[in-house]
Amino acid sequence: RIDATEAFAADVAHELKNPLASMASAVETLGRTNDPAITAQLRAILADDVRRLDRAITDIAELSRVDAELSRTEFQPIAVAALLADIVAGYALRAGPDAIKVELATVDARLRVAGDQGRLVRVLDNLIDNARSFSPPGGSVRVSAVRRAAAIEIAVEDDGPGVPPDQRDAIFRRFHSD
């Protein structure tokens, strides 16, 4: 737990220092320029950095809240195939004529997992929405679940460009975006 707290604190510090360093540089440069175009650019940078900080602080608060709630959550058995079928059906109901199609691929109807169904739905919705946003027009998103040894693997695949090889480990770190 101590190691996890230390890693979380390091992630938070890193996430907050980037926009702060950018803001400090912009403020310093503002004091040395009289050019209205450069001043406007620097103000835009500052506004963007304020938004980044606000988003980071919101994410940090949400992660802390979720971690605390998860420690008190009683996991319930979840039928994975039924859950995925419901999620995919929801996307089909909301889809417009040009929407990226969300499809249910291979799912073993016997798969069960213990967890918090609401949180699992939220994670899957986030993954599917992200996959849809990177899929080209006419593309599709495929959702599948299979048993892998003692675990269940749920996959969300799209027709988008994919994650660059050098970012594949980084995307699983807290606060990372690319």
Side-chain angles (χ1 to χ4, degrees), residues 5-151:
T5 301
E6 183 179 332
F8 179 75
D11 289 344
V12 168
H14 176 74
E15 193 65 19
L16 297 177
K17 281 187 177 188
N18 285 341
L20 284 174
S22 175
M23 291 172 80
S25 176
V27 166
E28 181 182 326
T29 306
L30 265 174
R32 293 188 311 219
T33 186
N34 293 324
D35 184 331
I38 293 175
T39 300
Q41 272 185 311
L42 292 170
R43 287 177 192 249
I45 289 169
L46 286 167
D48 185 55
D49 287 338
V50 167
R51 283 189 293 277
R52 285 174 55 198
L53 276 173
D54 183 59
R55 187 173 56 245
I57 291 167
T58 300
D59 289 349
I60 292 163
E62 174 73 6
L63 282 170
S64 297
R65 186 184 59 76
V66 167
D67 281 349
E69 287 177 9
L70 277 176
S71 70
R72 296 184 293 270
T73 298
E74 290 186 34
F75 287 178
Q76 302 297 319
I78 300 169
V80 175
L83 176 73
L84 296 179
D86 287 348
I87 291 170
V88 169
Y91 279 94
L93 288 173
R94 296 187 305 265
D98 297 330
I100 302 298
K101 186 175 181 181
V102 179
E103 305 168 315
L104 189 58
T106 307
V107 179
D108 180 341
R110 300 168 296 174
L111 296 178
R112 303 274 184 277
V113 66
D116 180 325
Q117 184 163 322
R119 285 211 169 73
L120 185 55
V121 167
R122 185 172 171 195
V123 167
L124 291 167
D125 278 340
N126 286 343
L127 289 170
I128 292 168
D129 287 342
N130 190 47
R132 289 174 65 223
S133 74
F134 284 99
S135 290
S140 67
V141 172
R142 294 154 310 280
V143 181
S144 63
V146 296
R147 179 169 300 286
R148 298 260 190 248

